[in-house]
Amino acid sequence: MSPNASPQGTAHRPAAVRLPLSAAQRDIWMADGLDTSGCRYNIGEYREILGALDPGLFARCWYQLAREADVLRIRGTGSDEDGGLWQELWAEPGERELQVLDLSGEEDPAAAARAWMRTELARPFDLTAGWLTRHVLIRAGTGAAGEERWFYFHAFHHLAIDGMGVALLDQRLVELYEQASADEPWGPSPFGTLADVLAEDDAYRASPEGAEDRAHWAAHLADLPPTPASRRGGPVVRPPVNCPSSGGRWCWSRCGRSG
């Protein structure tokens, strides 16, 4: 698909479908209900981009990413009358768009951006009706050598994704932007569907292999002491690590919650 192509029509597709939660998602959903802070399961990351960046093109690439990756189109969860838990998956991103925030006028734009991201990460997700991810491109003045400085920030509820999944989204977004910058068509999506993941998880748990694994780990963990109460803390930001990319130098840092 061309980076300049218009979104396909969706008149023949349902706006959203309800899918069950996986076993791991059910555990997080129930644990989240016991979390009085509302943000124990928030995870986040930012990339520092040093060099020329086209924010409009970047936003179009993000929208394409949202079309490809089901995790970016989960909106709301809930329970049926019989106690079954579900998540709502939208067929298209619809009105979703990448938010662009300009902090270049601040006295210290980079510090202001990091402070803003810490605050944003601590904001609870609405599991009943909200999107389970947030994405913001922040303009933060210039770097030490006078080049443009941007931060790409995204936050997720852990019910929707884990660290490996976030890394795959990052990799694909960089790929989409590099292809679009070179005026090349976007390659095929590397992502499977959420429905397929859930079916694979159900099949494994119903299989003899799944039963063997459960028995093994139940025996292995039988004598462990009770789990200690976890500490509560605020968001933390780890130092960035250089990541090479054409069209700019990309770095990344994770914004997580202290354990």
Side-chain angles (χ1 to χ4, degrees), residues 1-4 49 51-61 172-187 245-248 250:
M1 174 183 285
S2 168
N4 297 314
I49 306 168
L53 181 76
D54 181 338
L57 184 60
F58 193 91
R60 290 197 295 275
C61 293
R172 178 59 173 167
L173 182 57
V174 172
E175 183 180 71
L176 290 171
Y177 186 77
E178 290 181 340
Q179 290 172 344
S181 297
D183 201 24
E184 298 174 353
W186 285 320
S245 173
S246 61
W250 293 61

Side-chain angles (χ1 to χ4, degrees), residues 199-211:
E200 182 178 338
D201 183 64
D202 285 344
Y204 163 73
R205 292 179 182 280
S207 69
E209 179 186 2

Side-chain angles (χ1 to χ4, degrees), residues 67-191:
R67 299 187 72 201
E68 294 181 1
D70 284 2
V71 65
L72 301 185
R73 301 193 313 279
I74 300 174
R75 184 174 190 173
T77 64
S79 60
D80 296 326
E81 292 182 359
D82 61 1
L85 301 178
W86 49 261
Q87 56 196 315
E88 200 163 69
L89 175 65
W90 287 68
E92 293 288 338
E95 80 283 1
R96 294 213 77 182
E97 61 182 18
L98 178 69
Q99 179 185 351
V100 179
L101 178 64
D102 189 352
L103 296 179
S104 58
E106 297 291 330
E107 182 177 353
D108 186 339
R114 293 187 177 96
W116 185 91
M117 290 186 286
R118 288 189 183 95
T119 300
E120 182 66 8
L121 181 62
R123 184 163 62 91
F125 283 92
D126 177 8
L127 290 188
T128 60
W131 299 108
L132 301 190
T133 71
R134 304 179 190 131
H135 309 263
V136 186
L137 180 65
I138 305 172
R139 184 160 193 166
T142 58
E147 69 275 64
E148 292 181 18
R149 171 183 273 161
W150 300 79
F151 291 110
Y152 169 59
F153 168 79
H154 47 189
F156 305 83
H157 193 283
H158 193 33
L159 183 143
I161 200 168
D162 60 12
M164 179 59 72
V166 172
L168 293 175
L169 292 178
D170 282 347
Q171 179 179 323
R172 178 59 173 167
L173 182 57
V174 172
E175 183 180 71
L176 290 171
Y177 186 77
E178 290 181 340
Q179 290 172 344
S181 297
D183 201 24
E184 298 174 353
W186 285 320
S189 170
F191 304 119

Side-chain angles (χ1 to χ4, degrees), residues 22-45:
S22 70
Q25 286 179 311
R26 290 195 295 272
D27 290 344
I28 294 174
W29 189 90
M30 290 185 286
D32 183 85
L34 301 175
D35 173 29
T36 57
S37 75
C39 52
R40 164 60 57 181
Y41 293 97
N42 289 11
I43 58 175
E45 174 183 285

